[in-house]
Amino acid sequence: MGQDHIRYDILAQDALRSVIRKVLIEVAATGALPGDHHFFITFLTGAPGVRISQHLKAKYAEQMTIVVQHQFWDLKVTETLFEIGLSFSDTPEKLVIPFNAIRGFYDPSVNFELEFDVAAVEEEESAEITAYPVATAEQSGDQDAEAKTGDNGKAGDDGKKEGGSVVSLDSFRKKN
């Protein structure tokens, strides 16, 4: 097989992230989610550009899942990131999350899921990109129970989701 000079993996990841961006832009414009839609968004807390309070960073050192449903405010979406206000144990917080930091997006109302293999901060210094997206329509396990904490379950933990899998090719590469 030939070398991929086009980098379809990067193009596919960008296209899938644009789905999240478009959905959040529509929610920001209306100020509410349509119907029963709500989102679980998992992101790496140490990724470049992520801005969360020190309290949240200490509690969720590696990754965090937020739930966007009824209680959120000041949702702003740009080409590269989104900002959102959420409440954590009656404490309002502002989060800034670049789309490149997102590991997963799940809307349980329609069983739609996107997963990304996001390189950890130290891995990003490597010149080779090893992220490959997986889009699945199935979700196993009780995601609602494992991802909710804080007021009315509107914030998440760093628990790993079950369901689709993301395969990193690093384990198949020759070690130097």
Side-chain angles (χ1 to χ4, degrees):
M1 192 170 9
Q3 184 176 0
D4 180 6
H5 295 284
I6 295 175
R7 294 307 307 256
Y8 287 110
D9 56 332
I10 295 171
L11 294 172
Q13 219 179 78
D14 287 346
L16 292 172
R17 282 198 169 93
S18 71
V19 170
I20 300 169
R21 183 180 309 109
K22 182 171 174 43
V23 167
L24 291 178
I25 287 170
E26 290 179 18
V27 170
T30 62
L33 284 89
D36 291 332
H37 289 279
H38 56 289
F39 314 131
F40 292 83
I41 302 172
T42 302
F43 63 97
L44 294 179
T45 56
V50 170
R51 291 194 315 243
I52 60 175
S53 70
Q54 290 299 329
H55 168 73
L56 291 177
K57 177 70 173 153
K59 191 171 182 180
Y60 306 104
E62 293 182 24
Q63 72 178 23
M64 179 176 179
T65 298
I66 59 172
V67 179
V68 180
Q69 189 168 14
H70 300 296
Q71 296 180 356
F72 66 91
W73 56 91
D74 294 337
L75 177 60
K76 296 178 182 124
V77 184
T78 70
E79 191 66 26
T80 59
L81 57 83
F82 70 97
E83 299 177 19
I84 191 167
L86 294 170
S87 180
F88 298 84
S89 301
D90 291 326
T91 303
E93 301 272 358
K94 177 183 175 185
L95 291 81
V96 176
I97 305 167
F99 290 108
N100 286 338
I102 294 175
R103 288 197 94 161
F105 177 90
Y106 179 56
D107 183 344
S109 70
V110 292
N111 206 20
F112 177 79
E113 179 177 12
L114 296 174
E115 289 187 9
F116 304 93
D117 185 15
V118 181
V121 176
E122 58 272 1
E123 293 172 4
E124 287 182 3
E125 296 171 3
S126 141
E128 215 166 314
I129 297 175
T130 60
Y132 299 90
V134 173
T136 65
E138 296 180 7
Q139 176 69 15
S140 64
D142 183 4
Q143 190 65 29
D144 290 342
E146 77 176 82
K148 292 182 181 180
T149 63
D151 289 346
N152 297 323
K154 301 301 172 256
D157 69 5
D158 56 358
K160 188 156 178 82
K161 291 196 291 187
E162 295 178 13
S165 63
V166 177
V167 177
S168 174
L169 296 180
D170 288 340
S171 60
F172 298 101
R173 292 194 176 137
K174 292 181 182 176
K175 307 272 189 233
N176 289 339

